[in-house]
Amino acid sequence: MKVVTFEATPNIAVVKYWGKRNTQLILPTNSSISMTLDSLKTRTSVAFDETFEKDELYLNGENVDLEKNSEAKERLKQLDAIRAKAGINKKAKIVSINCFPTAAGFASSASGLAALACAASKAAGLKLDSQELSILARLGSGSASRSVLGGFVEWMKGEKEDGSDSYAVQLADENYWKEMRVISVVVSQGAKSISSRTGMQQTLETSELFKKRLAYLPAAIDSMVEAIKEKNFELFAEITMKDSDNMHACMADTKPPIIYMNETSKKIIDVVKELNAASTIAAYTFDAGPNAHIYCLEPHINKVIEALEKLPQVEQIILSKAGSGPVEISDEKEHLLDPVTGEIRKHFFDKGKNKIIVG
Ligand code: PMV
């Protein structure tokens, strides 16, 4: 049986996506920009076979019951699109593992669904370009559309109703702005109060501020493209922080209000403000949770980490650079699924043993 394995990584948006104009196809209200990380990898192996009776998903060693878990089933929508493109009816077995401590509190949907688009399309015999892969990944999670490419990426919102022009393009590869780093600060491992899927539509439907957000975003996108092109960290930082603040203000303006940040998140904002007192060296950004991601340039890493480590509530700090985007793992021994038996390779998931790669 043909097994295909890919590893992909998350991305951290600097101009955020929050709101869909089409919830079925996951078409956003605005374009967004992110950097794909080189760490926090998700590895995914996929096989299609006529002996499989139904689609099966194993996440971090646990079988996910797709009959009972409608959200997981919804996220795997791209499988039908892949089957239709490839002209096959075979069911799929998907085995996915986060190659970092799962307790780290990071969402892995972007990396997981980008890895799935690459592995499943290839396993189905398709040879797709990044545009097609981005559209497939987007069907499971909007932010995943950006993780099919490395470096700095823009997800263009598109205009068409069928979503064929809503995909990610690379603005600059992972070697372009070599000094750029992201310090991810884990402050809480608890589950989200409300999923981003539900929360963003509530914002769109009830927030007055959100209308202003939509009006300001095209200029923010243009300035961010300029900041990356010029490697202008000050401008990059200004837009990044403003856009995170703006998105969280719209969340708070939602009825009922959505608050993802906690007291430690606010303390991190104060730390960054203090670090930037003389000149701008760091930029915070928060997604749908209290963990912070701090962009800074390589010469300032130690100073920024030292300041963050002073906060007793900080649980973990993970340092990333720009990553290359999804990578195929061709070594047969590294597949999570045995190509001969079609069984999942349990040794990758044994608790207590080192799994694959940490970091
Ligand atoms: O990961 P999704 O598709 O549910 O969307 C989350 C969006 C944010 O992470 C909050 C912002 C972004 O652009 O990544």
Side-chain angles (χ1 to χ4, degrees):
M1 148 183 339
K2 182 176 170 186
V3 176
V4 179
T5 301
F6 269 85
E7 280 182 355
T9 50
N11 62 80
I12 303 300
V14 287
V15 178
K16 308 280 192 191
Y17 145 65
W18 191 255
K20 298 178 181 68
R21 63 186 162 87
N22 178 323
T23 52
Q24 282 305 306
L25 292 173
I26 311 202
L27 302 179
T29 49
N30 58 274
S31 298
S32 52
I33 297 181
S34 57
M35 189 178 92
T36 299
L37 306 186
D38 69 340
S39 59
L40 301 169
K41 287 178 187 153
T42 299
R43 182 182 293 190
T44 300
S45 295
V46 182
F48 286 92
D49 200 76
E50 48 275 306
T51 61
F52 297 158
E53 285 168 13
K54 52 181 185 176
D55 288 331
E56 273 187 80
L57 170 67
Y58 294 85
L59 268 186
N60 296 316
E62 304 285 328
N63 178 248
V64 179
D65 187 340
L66 295 173
E67 299 306 316
K68 292 198 184 125
N69 189 331
S70 56
E71 196 191 318
K73 199 170 174 177
E74 182 80 11
R75 286 194 179 272
L76 296 182
K77 241 189 202 168
Q78 54 167 301
L79 288 180
D80 286 335
I82 288 170
R83 278 189 278 255
K85 255 183 201 283
I88 58 168
N89 276 320
K90 294 178 226 175
K91 300 295 181 196
K93 198 177 268 190
I94 303 160
V95 189
S96 193
I97 186 170
N98 293 327
C99 312
F100 54 87
T102 39
F106 289 104
S108 52
S109 63
S111 49
L113 289 159
L116 178 64
C118 297
S121 58
K122 192 161 181 191
L126 296 168
K127 226 177 156 189
L128 303 183
D129 59 21
S130 66
Q131 179 176 324
E132 294 167 294
L133 290 169
S134 177
I135 288 175
L136 286 174
R138 193 200 72 213
L139 296 173
S141 148
S143 59
S145 69
R146 298 184 306 240
S147 270
V148 303
L149 287 161
F152 289 95
V153 175
E154 177 175 352
W155 172 18
M156 299 185 305
K157 77 181 182 80
E159 301 293 338
K160 294 187 184 159
E161 279 310 304
D162 67 357
S164 58
D165 58 351
S166 182
Y167 54 82
V169 293
Q170 191 176 55
L171 298 172
D173 73 16
E174 69 276 18
N175 298 312
Y176 177 72
W177 200 347
K178 274 194 170 305
E179 307 78 23
M180 189 62 92
R181 298 290 183 275
V182 178
I183 301 165
S184 299
V185 190
V186 182
V187 303
S188 164
Q189 305 175 359
K192 285 181 195 174
S193 50
I194 178 169
S195 73
S196 50
R197 189 167 286 232
T198 308
M200 65 173 76
Q201 288 319 96
Q202 287 183 2
T203 301
L204 181 136
E205 283 156 21
T206 65
S207 165
E208 282 302 314
L209 265 187
F210 186 69
K211 293 177 190 143
K212 289 215 161 152
R213 170 166 175 75
L214 290 184
Y216 114 92
L217 276 165
I221 290 277
D222 287 350
S223 306
M224 184 51 87
V225 169
E226 196 57 29
I228 293 167
K229 200 167 146 199
E230 304 288 327
K231 298 186 191 167
N232 178 340
F233 186 79
E234 200 173 338
L235 182 60
F236 177 92
E238 187 194 314
I239 305 164
T240 298
M241 292 189 280
K242 183 175 172 181
D243 193 61
S244 174
D245 293 343
N246 185 285
M247 179 179 76
H248 285 270
C250 292
M251 290 164 168
D253 186 48
T254 301
K255 300 193 184 34
I258 302 170
I259 313 285
Y260 287 118
M261 285 198 255
N262 63 18
E263 289 310 309
T264 312
S265 317
K266 290 179 206 159
K267 288 197 176 109
I268 292 172
I269 293 179
D270 286 339
V271 167
V272 172
K273 272 200 255 176
E274 216 158 286
L275 283 165
N276 288 345
S279 66
T280 306
I281 62 160
Y284 58 78
T285 183
F286 296 84
D287 287 326
N291 296 330
H293 301 279
I294 317 284
Y295 276 94
C296 74
L297 298 177
E298 199 273 333
H300 302 297
I301 293 170
N302 289 344
K303 191 172 175 190
V304 177
I305 291 182
E306 269 166 34
L308 291 165
E309 277 176 343
K310 286 195 187 126
L311 293 176
Q313 299 87 346
V314 167
E315 291 175 12
Q316 200 176 359
I317 286 180
I318 297 168
L319 185 61
S320 309
K321 298 198 272 273
S324 66
V327 172
E328 183 168 7
I329 308 293
S330 345
D331 182 351
E332 197 275 323
K333 293 190 294 300
E334 294 295 321
H335 294 317
L336 305 176
L337 197 53
D338 189 316
V340 178
T341 63
E343 295 298 318
I344 85 163
R345 286 181 160 157
K346 292 215 166 59
H347 65 273
F348 282 111
F349 306 96
D350 286 348
K351 292 213 165 56
K353 288 194 187 156
N354 195 1
K355 290 174 186 166
I356 305 176
I357 314 134
V358 175

